[in-house]
Amino acid sequence: MGENGEITIAVTETPEGQLHFNLSPTDPEAESHADINGLFFNVTDGSAIEELNFFPDVNAEGYHLTDVKAVDDGVEGFADGPQAGGSFDVGLQFGTTADSSDGEVPSTNFTLWTYPGSLSFEDIDLSGMRVVVDSDESGGEVLEVSGMVDPDMEGSEADTSDPASALMDALTLTSVPEEEDEGGDTCEDDAFDMA
């Protein structure tokens, strides 16, 4: 896969009950970086989340978030955009052009929250996330989590100096083999509320 396809995702659980995601190149000094087009993840089974909120708003000036989909096991990709290679609960599309994945996005970030209540690491299946890179021209490459550093693990070298937040750092992503289409459930009764 090489250096150009490696992405690091740092997820911070804030004291306000939000999850902040930061996607960036694993090697910021590399000559070129992958173009981040989409992120897909599932809400964990048993989570009490009924509504997900996203910052920034879709197509907000100065940000890269250009579309969001949230349907229980019903998000496989975006029309003329990144495809996840499977069914997920949530998909986010990134680009520099409104409503599209066009344009180079080597790094980006966003925040999730719910109301009422709060989010924690346990609400999101972090180990099952997928990132799609370089999909504008060639169909792209689907990357999966290949390693995690959890600050709660004994012997972890993650920075846990700030007790108000925990950092799950270095979710390094690598290629995912294509999966068979299993025909996901797109029933509206399973949709998450989005704000």
Side-chain angles (χ1 to χ4, degrees):
M1 182 166 127
E3 295 174 2
N4 293 340
E6 290 188 340
I7 303 294
T8 296
I9 301 177
V11 181
T12 305
E13 185 178 299
T14 71
E16 299 82 22
Q18 302 171 345
L19 293 178
H20 180 76
F21 290 70
N22 186 36
L23 292 75
S24 61
T26 299
D27 180 4
E29 302 300 319
E31 289 183 27
S32 63
H33 300 109
D35 173 23
I36 301 169
N37 301 121
L39 173 69
F40 300 87
F41 62 85
N42 289 310
V43 174
T44 55
D45 292 337
S47 173
I49 295 174
E50 292 183 23
E51 177 178 301
L52 279 176
N53 300 284
F54 301 84
F55 177 84
D57 291 332
V58 170
N59 296 322
E61 189 172 332
Y63 295 96
H64 300 119
L65 184 62
T66 59
D67 201 356
V68 175
K69 290 184 180 182
V71 179
D72 188 18
D73 290 327
V75 180
E76 295 182 1
F78 294 88
D80 299 321
Q83 302 301 308
S87 295
F88 294 87
D89 296 336
V90 177
L92 294 91
Q93 178 176 263
F94 304 102
T96 59
T97 303
D99 303 317
S100 119
S101 63
D102 291 343
E104 295 293 315
V105 179
S107 63
T108 192
N109 62 74
F110 65 93
T111 302
L112 293 177
W113 75 95
T114 189
Y115 183 83
S118 61
L119 290 176
S120 70
F121 294 138
E122 290 77 27
D123 290 312
I124 306 296
D125 178 12
L126 297 171
S127 65
M129 289 190 300
R130 300 289 184 269
V131 171
V132 178
V133 298
D134 302 325
S135 70
D136 296 339
E137 308 282 326
S138 65
E141 184 175 10
V142 178
L143 309 176
E144 71 178 352
V145 175
S146 64
M148 291 177 65
V149 176
D150 182 342
D152 294 329
M153 292 175 54
E154 185 176 319
S156 171
E157 294 180 14
D159 179 12
T160 58
S161 58
D162 181 3
S165 67
L167 178 64
M168 290 189 93
D169 197 6
L171 294 175
T172 305
L173 303 164
T174 60
S175 298
V176 174
E178 275 191 39
E179 295 181 16
E180 295 290 322
D181 183 14
E182 297 177 9
D185 176 16
T186 59
C187 177
E188 285 299 315
D189 290 338
D190 292 335
F192 294 103
D193 291 328
M194 292 190 315

